[in-house]
Amino acid sequence: MRKHWGIGATLLVALAGCGGGTVEGTPESDGGDEPISSAVLGDARTLDPCSLVAPEGFASHGDARRVARESLDHCRVAVAVDRENVIVEYGLLLPEDAEGERPVTTLAGDVRVVATSAEGTRPCTLRVVLADETRIEVKADAQRSGSAMPSETVCAVARTAAEGIHTSLSSGAVEHWEPPTTSLARLSACGLLPAGEVADLVGTSSEVTLYPAEHQCTWGTPGGEQPNAQLDFTVGPKPDFANADRETVAGRDTMVHLAQTDSLSVCTLTTEHGPFAEAVDGEVELAVVRVLLTDGEADPCEHGIDLAEAAWEKLPAR
């Protein structure tokens, strides 16, 4: 079942420029436009990111089709451009953070488009910034890692995605999906682990970052310079235990993978929760705990198993 959340019609203004191109004739929003805020998105936990831009919205570049999802909060589309595919991902709502943003253009409804990628580089990353500073992520890149596709070509696809998001928000075309009652989409990631206990166990700061759709939570400073722990509710292929350890944690098969460098170590623990109702290619729902430590003598997997056990015990029955 899908629900539609709408706002009053606003004047659509063409979008120009992005990280790899030049902004020409940047349009300014009409001061009489009603601001477009996150209120138009409704319940962010069940927002259907694929409703923000349909595949046919990329027709000016070539044929497009949805491909397997890698997140509850991203839609992924493959766009055929010059006999190659450009993969564009969009929909993730970001916490308020303006660091590294470059202005690109201003659209109706006090909506801004900013770039976070350097000019002339790939991937091309944009953010659609709503009137209340809520950010919607757009990322595009050539599918082949060794592609010689120009950044301007990739950024043109990203611009189209940003345009499409603005059009959907302006016209009230945003849709929601109805997750099964046992779906991880219904949960708030920060609600499963007590912040104080996580901080004590991992040695993190008291900082907690919850993404607006509540499917990602980080305890401690995000990034790789300070110890932190993270819990994600996501989607992807079934866990592959070929290159990871298998542990039983809170009665659930759990894939445990340790990655290390000279300065840090990361343990990732993943458990399959069940089928993803909106799957394109057999994706399943996954719960993922990550623990990052900067002390080379510490074992992040020891702490990770403790956190995963506490989190898995609170997951819905499958």
Side-chain angles (χ1 to χ4, degrees), residues 125-296:
T125 55
L126 303 178
R127 295 174 179 176
V128 180
V129 185
L130 308 187
D132 60 357
E133 296 299 312
T134 297
R135 285 155 168 77
I136 302 175
E137 182 180 67
V138 176
K139 178 180 178 181
D141 200 0
Q143 185 173 26
R144 293 192 300 109
S145 59
S147 172
M149 184 176 291
S151 62
E152 291 82 0
T153 301
V154 172
C155 277
V157 179
R159 288 197 300 269
T160 294
E163 287 180 351
I165 290 171
H166 181 252
T167 298
S168 295
L169 298 180
S170 301
S171 63
V174 177
E175 297 181 354
H176 286 243
W177 67 293
E178 187 68 30
T181 56
T182 58
S183 173
L184 298 178
R186 295 181 176 273
L187 304 181
S188 176
C190 282
L192 268 65
L193 297 172
E197 293 182 17
V198 176
D200 291 343
L201 183 65
V202 182
T204 71
S205 70
S206 58
E207 181 180 357
V208 179
T209 303
L210 177 64
Y211 277 63
E214 302 187 33
H215 298 140
Q216 299 181 49
C217 184
T218 301
W219 293 266
T221 305
E225 298 181 358
Q226 300 292 332
N228 62 58
Q230 185 171 314
L231 174 60
D232 292 349
F233 301 139
T234 186
V235 300
K238 288 177 173 290
D240 181 359
F241 293 91
N243 297 307
D245 294 332
R246 184 193 297 262
E247 298 276 354
T248 300
V249 180
R252 291 173 174 257
D253 277 349
T254 300
M255 184 173 68
V256 181
H257 181 265
L258 176 64
Q260 293 178 300
T261 68
D262 292 339
S263 59
L264 59 84
S265 54
V266 180
C267 189
T268 304
L269 301 95
T270 305
T271 189
E272 178 182 346
H273 185 65
F276 176 45
E278 301 285 293
V280 173
D281 189 23
E283 304 98 289
V284 297
E285 292 191 1
L286 304 167
V288 182
V289 164
R290 294 182 183 88
V291 174
L292 181 150
L293 298 180
T294 54
D295 183 350

